Amino acid sequence: MNAQKLIDTAKMLVADGNGLLAMDESNPTCNKRFAKLGIPQNAEARRAYRELIVTTPGLGECISGAILYDETIRQQKKDGTSFVKALTDAGIIPGIKVDAGAPDMAGHPGEKITEGLDGLRERLAEYFQMGARFAKWRAVIAVDDDIPTCGCIEANAHALARYAALCQEVGLVPIVEPEGLMDGDHTLERCGEVTEEVLRTVFNQLNSQRVMLEGMILKPNMVLPGLACPKQESVDEVADATVKCLLRTVPAAVPGVAFLSGGQPSELASARLNAMNVRFKSRLPWALTFSFSRAIQQPALEIWRGEEANVPAAQQALYHRAKCNRAARRGEYTAAMENISA
Ligand code: 13P
């Protein structure tokens, strides 16, 4: 392991003004989003969409790293340039999702366990050879009155830590993503309680597995009320609850926290990230940034709809969201930014 290289990459990924773009939807997830918009669900449509993303003018001004999927890291632009090269040329570090999805957990109704450790060492080595410099593994934590259970939290945290250790061994910065889901009617307080317990367990496991905290990035959920909860707290209340939870659980050695968006409306995700940076940035030991998929991509996807003629407008929408999140990451986002077309 070259510790300094890992530290340098992690720092670059969360450098001021930058965030991550998750474009690592598995084929089934990508197809589901395409189907809703009447876009053909095949490899060529997925390739064309990913080409739209990686060739968006100016994307590298706001995005330091892009997370790819196994299919995507092997694909090329129409002119034959690999996506990895296109991203690197744009100043964007290529990353790769390496978990194998989250099926139901045996003996734990309503809970999931992420798979993918078998053969991971070899897969990581191949991705590194292909040009990836960081990786992602997502654990899924459903929230209700009596879940998550200790068994689910511990098994997922253990897998995250073993994945992270393998990543660092081969020279990839691990993005450690324990996602507390927004589905359900749980309160913000319940989400905070669960997120705190999950992060505490994850960092215990990362320590047990000897993961170098300076060479990793945490990708958590924000602390939010469930989508069906009647009480929806203000942007500032969400910012306060989220930062309070992170301060209690995330060691100062971690260089950055890059939130997932989890199905929040795009503008709200930007406003919440912005509020955290406005209220706390100067007092935090780690960078607070974004690693959004839907909250960056969704407006662009809805404009594109699989039509070549819509590519420039879709790219403008993608750039606009990336720019808004760059501002939010600096605490400079305002609702007025949304009125100016990109
Ligand atoms: P969302 O921002 O759409 O939640 O996706 C982030 C991600 O990478 C989920 O694993």
Side-chain angles (χ1 to χ4, degrees):
M1 182 195 354
N2 185 331
Q4 194 54 49
K5 277 206 172 130
L6 288 170
I7 293 169
D8 292 346
T9 303
K11 274 193 193 145
M12 275 191 276
L13 288 170
V14 297
D16 196 28
N18 284 319
L20 306 178
L21 169 62
M23 48 180 290
D24 60 335
E25 302 80 12
S26 64
N27 290 349
T29 300
C30 190
N31 287 345
K32 227 182 334 176
R33 293 187 188 156
F34 280 12
K36 276 195 188 143
L37 297 167
I39 301 167
Q41 295 116 60
N42 56 46
E44 174 49 27
R46 292 191 296 271
R47 191 208 62 76
Y49 177 56
R50 268 64 182 255
E51 175 163 350
L52 177 162
I53 295 177
V54 305
T55 59
T56 292
L59 199 63
E61 295 162 17
C62 322
I63 302 294
S64 49
I67 314 171
L68 304 172
Y69 179 60
D70 183 73
E71 177 182 74
T72 323
I73 199 171
R74 301 172 194 280
Q75 286 176 322
Q76 296 98 28
K77 287 166 49 183
K78 254 210 166 103
D79 69 7
T81 313
S82 72
F83 286 162
V84 168
K85 180 164 182 347
L87 286 168
T88 310
D89 289 350
I92 299 171
I93 303 172
I96 180 77
K97 183 235 290 289
V98 301
D99 65 70
D104 292 341
M105 184 168 173
H108 292 72
E111 300 195 286
K112 307 277 185 194
I113 177 71
T114 302
E115 295 185 335
L117 287 172
D118 290 351
L120 183 59
R121 176 178 266 140
E122 293 72 27
R123 288 197 291 127
L124 294 177
E126 185 193 7
Y127 290 136
F128 185 89
Q129 287 302 323
M130 293 171 86
R133 289 297 174 266
F134 71 104
K136 185 193 100 170
W137 177 291
R138 171 176 175 254
V140 182
I141 309 290
V143 182
D144 206 342
D145 291 345
D146 46 10
I147 56 172
T149 59
C150 286
C152 172
I153 296 175
E154 278 170 13
N156 274 296
H158 180 74
L160 274 167
R162 287 186 54 201
Y163 137 84
L166 284 164
C167 282
Q168 291 191 335
E169 178 185 81
V170 78
L172 296 169
V173 170
I175 308 274
V176 172
E177 180 182 11
E179 173 173 5
L181 296 178
M182 288 167 66
D183 302 317
D185 62 359
H186 56 268
T187 61
L188 172 136
E189 287 75 22
R190 176 72 182 140
C191 178
E193 191 178 277
V194 167
T195 304
E196 198 173 316
E197 176 69 20
V198 167
L199 293 180
R200 235 187 265 294
T201 311
V202 165
F203 279 102
N204 279 338
Q205 288 290 333
L206 290 168
N207 275 327
S208 298
Q209 298 301 322
R210 302 185 172 168
V211 172
M212 183 183 53
L213 299 181
E214 293 83 353
M216 64 157 278
I217 289 167
L218 179 71
K219 176 165 174 166
N221 52 282
M222 295 182 190
V223 174
L224 301 170
L227 286 170
C229 179
K231 184 168 178 222
Q232 293 289 318
E233 277 77 2
S234 69
V235 165
D236 285 351
E237 286 169 325
V238 165
D240 290 358
T242 303
V243 170
K244 179 174 158 192
C245 176
L246 295 175
L247 281 171
R248 286 180 166 183
T249 52
V250 184
V254 173
V257 173
F259 293 104
L260 59 96
S261 60
Q264 301 174 63
S266 304
E267 297 179 14
L268 198 50
S270 302
R272 287 166 168 164
L273 175 61
N274 185 66
M276 289 181 221
N277 279 311
V278 167
R279 293 161 82 80
F280 300 103
K281 190 170 183 215
S282 59
R283 288 183 274 152
L284 298 176
W286 5 257
L288 276 190
T289 186
F290 58 91
S291 177
F292 297 159
S293 163
R294 282 162 288 180
I296 293 182
Q297 290 186 46
Q298 195 59 28
L301 183 61
E302 286 171 15
I303 293 170
W304 178 56
R305 289 183 181 265
E307 299 291 335
E308 179 71 29
N310 297 337
V311 167
Q315 289 184 326
Q316 272 200 355
L318 190 78
Y319 177 69
H320 176 68
R321 285 261 53 84
K323 211 171 55 171
C324 287
N325 287 311
R326 171 190 165 87
R329 187 238 176 287
R330 293 176 148 180
E332 294 168 1
Y333 170 81
T334 59
M337 284 183 73
E338 303 292 353
N339 300 326
I340 306 157
S341 79

